[in-house]
Amino acid sequence: MQQGISRRSFIGSAAVGSAVLALGALAGCAPQADQGGSSTSAAWDQEVDLLVCGAGGCGLACAVEAKDNGAENVLVIEKGDMIGGTTAMSQGMIAGYDTKFQKEQGIELTFDQMYANLMNNASYRLDPALTKITVENCGKTIDWLADRVGVSFLDRIDIYYGPLQMMHNVDGAGGGFAIAFSACLDDLGVQVEKGTKLVEVLLDAEGRVEGAVVESKGKQRRIKAKAVMLATGGFAHNAELAARFDPEKAGTFGIGHPNCEGDGLVAASNSGALLSHINHMMCILKDYTIMSEHEGTSASANLNGFTNLPNMILVGSDGNRFVDETSKGYMSQDLNSPIFDKMHRDGAGYVWEISDEATVAAAGGKVVRGEGLEYVKGSDAAELAKSMGVDPIALAATIDAYNAAVDAGVDKEFGGFPTTKLVAPYVAVPVVPCEIITYGGVARSEKAEVLRADGQIIPGLFVGGEASCNSAYMGFTLSNCFTWGRIGGQSAASYIQS
């Protein structure tokens, strides 16, 4: 054990097992008698046409569209004590093209530009058909938010997440969405029940949705519904579930919205739904000590620029580098897999970032450790190694080799072109990738219908937003949630009336 570092919450891959097992136990809900089976002899506590699970951007959009398309009795349940979910906590920036706002400002973008930008950012990991739907509708969704829902947009349209002037800004940031939707749903007479979470999706003997089990104040009840929409968000606050889905992610911490614990994914999976792409998530490097010993949050464990220092190197518990640190991509994504690999090889819950005091000082106070903590320090490599608990000979050789690469202008061992030497005295901090957004989830059709592994739909079950998969990445997360919420609402209304 290295000095001053605990290993709370580090889960070895042997403990997490297969990604497809034990989801029911994790959720605390009993499995159904058979796939899609439910106890039809039990009484229903309530009956609605459409039950929308989750009052984030996706669920709110679904409820409005469902009502506008003829669904009469729509109930929205929300696990938290306020509506908006992750959407309300966002910067309120949403990508789109060919919007009325862009037309007013003479901004011209094409579908091809938008699609290429999104897919390039996501390294083409996304489902092409579903992603095309997200992109095709992103501008229409922005206009719909303004004209139908009453969301107030600022005049400013930013160039962000790439070279395109596509990011529309909402007055009041993410909270502006919640305010507008609250008024819109009141006008439509849609009930939103807060403090209520989804426990189980109930199917009849033919495998069609017939309702759900929900829980409020510790008590469960059964709601009969002709259709159910899963808009419960992802699992970015559930590190245990992330590790079950993908053993590589063992050791992560969840720093997403507190209500994003994977409830909808678990309920859907227990009903026979296919989960896809569940190893694709955004992880941000955070201060391991703060996360493990100070109940850290995304803000308190923020490395405040340390990761982006020009001479930052990463080493494992053996004191050796293991990756080209300049391969950070968006928010350090390209570093995550090598870091997880090194953590597991070392049997530790973290790796080390190293820089020097002069470089930190030159940042002008922008690189400060959270919780009032000091960085691990050393007047030379030997003292730093002792403070870190790593091999002093190996660490000294690592720093010398890195500085030699700077002199040579190229890093022949790991690639890249380092420009700034490490000069004693040194500083270090233990880091761990923490999940903040998940991109995998419940598989769906182009109509937002939930799919089984055999490709067949589960009639009456719909999904969108972060609970679903394969159609969004940075810049397009809000476009994705609203667009697929709308599609889900339209499809659910049509199913109910068929």
Side-chain angles (χ1 to χ4, degrees):
M1 176 67 66
Q2 279 120 0
Q3 180 176 341
I5 303 297
S6 73
R7 291 175 59 197
R8 195 205 78 177
S9 298
F10 179 70
I11 307 170
S13 60
V16 298
S18 171
V20 297
L21 299 178
L23 295 184
L26 183 65
C29 56
Q32 299 176 82
D34 54 17
Q35 181 174 309
S38 65
S39 177
T40 55
S41 61
W44 296 102
D45 299 295
Q46 187 175 356
E47 184 171 348
V48 299
D49 287 336
L50 172 62
L51 176 64
V52 179
C53 303
C58 177
L60 297 173
C62 174
V64 172
E65 280 286 12
K67 285 289 289 185
D68 283 352
N69 283 272
E72 296 181 359
N73 189 355
V74 177
L75 171 64
V76 180
I77 62 170
E78 166 54 39
K79 185 177 181 178
D81 57 4
M82 61 181 64
I83 70 169
T86 303
T87 298
M89 295 177 63
S90 73
Q91 295 175 291
M93 298 176 66
I94 178 171
Y97 77 104
D98 200 32
T99 66
K100 66 177 186 178
F101 303 105
Q102 288 167 319
K103 291 175 182 176
E104 290 171 357
Q105 298 182 37
I107 301 168
E108 296 184 0
L109 299 174
T110 67
F111 167 85
D112 289 341
Q113 289 175 304
M114 296 287 285
Y115 179 79
N117 184 77
L118 172 53
M119 288 296 256
N120 280 327
N121 287 347
S123 300
Y124 276 78
R125 295 171 181 166
L126 306 179
D127 180 284
L130 300 180
T131 304
K132 286 177 181 177
I133 292 173
T134 300
V135 175
E136 285 171 349
N137 289 278
C138 61
K140 300 172 187 175
T141 290
I142 290 173
D143 287 347
W144 177 82
L145 287 167
D147 297 337
R148 174 64 186 92
V149 182
V151 175
S152 177
F153 284 87
L154 301 174
D155 292 334
R156 191 178 79 250
I157 303 175
D158 291 330
I159 298 174
Y160 213 72
Y161 298 113
L164 306 181
Q165 192 173 357
M166 65 180 187
M167 300 306 297
H168 297 64
N169 293 272
V170 172
D171 188 9
F177 290 116
I179 292 171
F181 271 104
S182 180
C184 187
L185 292 177
D186 283 347
D187 289 343
L188 288 170
V190 174
Q191 179 186 357
V192 179
E193 183 179 317
K194 302 169 186 174
T196 303
K197 69 176 183 178
L198 172 67
V199 175
E200 185 178 5
V201 174
L202 300 175
L203 309 183
D204 64 18
E206 283 73 43
R208 298 176 303 221
V209 162
E210 65 172 359
V213 177
V214 303
E215 182 178 305
S216 178
K217 297 180 180 179
K219 294 183 179 180
Q220 293 188 358
R221 73 180 194 272
R222 292 161 49 87
I223 300 178
K224 184 176 179 62
K226 296 175 183 177
V228 172
M229 175 68 174
L230 302 176
T232 51
F235 53 98
H237 201 71
N238 193 334
E240 183 180 356
L241 183 56
R244 286 183 181 274
F245 282 151
D246 182 5
E248 181 192 57
K249 304 303 189 300
T252 191
F253 291 81
I255 56 173
H257 192 286
N259 292 333
C260 288
E261 298 181 302
D263 298 341
L265 280 71
V266 172
S269 178
N270 288 343
S271 298
L274 169 67
L275 303 185
S276 175
H277 228 213
I278 48 180
N279 64 339
H280 189 198
M281 62 182 65
M282 177 177 290
C283 293
I284 308 300
L285 294 180
K286 296 294 180 181
D287 189 314
Y288 176 82
T289 302
I290 293 175
M291 292 303 302
S292 63
E293 298 179 6
H294 298 269
E295 301 296 332
T297 65
S298 180
S300 67
N302 192 343
L303 293 172
N304 289 322
F306 198 106
T307 299
N308 292 317
L309 292 174
N311 60 355
M312 185 278 291
I313 64 170
L314 287 162
V315 305
S317 59
D318 55 7
N320 294 316
R321 287 177 68 209
F322 56 90
V323 68
D324 172 19
E325 296 87 357
T326 62
S327 300
K328 297 170 187 176
Y330 273 112
M331 311 273 291
S332 74
Q333 295 312 296
D334 290 344
L335 296 180
N336 290 328
S337 185
I339 288 175
F340 277 121
D341 179 71
K342 185 61 175 173
M343 285 165 47
H344 299 163
R345 289 176 184 273
D346 290 349
Y350 53 88
V351 298
W352 290 94
E353 287 187 355
I354 296 174
S355 183
D356 58 44
E357 288 188 358
T359 305
V360 169
K366 296 180 180 179
V367 181
V368 179
R369 198 174 184 191
E371 298 291 335
L373 299 178
E374 294 289 332
Y375 292 114
V376 176
K377 296 181 179 181
S379 60
D380 56 23
E383 186 175 75
L384 181 66
K386 182 178 180 180
S387 299
M388 293 167 57
V390 305
D391 183 342
I393 296 176
L395 184 60
T398 292
I399 293 175
D400 288 344
Y402 172 80
N403 285 339
V406 174
D407 286 336
V410 61
D411 183 353
K412 294 182 179 179
E413 185 174 8
F414 296 103
F417 304 93
T419 60
T420 307
K421 286 186 175 182
L422 285 163
V423 180
Y426 306 111
V427 293
V429 60
V431 300
V432 58
C434 297
E435 58 167 338
I436 191 168
I437 299 174
T438 54
Y439 295 113
V442 181
R444 68 193 186 283
S445 74
E446 295 180 10
K447 296 181 179 180
E449 303 156 309
V450 171
L451 298 176
R452 304 184 321 204
D454 61 4
Q456 298 300 306
I457 68 168
I458 298 178
L461 188 58
F462 303 88
V463 66
E466 203 175 337
S468 60
C469 63
N470 292 346
S471 60
Y473 200 64
M474 297 181 69
F476 284 82
T477 50
L478 291 182
S479 300
N480 175 73
C481 83
F482 289 123
T483 291
W484 285 95
R486 296 184 65 199
I487 293 171
Q490 295 162 5
S491 297
S494 177
Y495 175 83
I496 290 167
Q497 297 169 73
S498 63

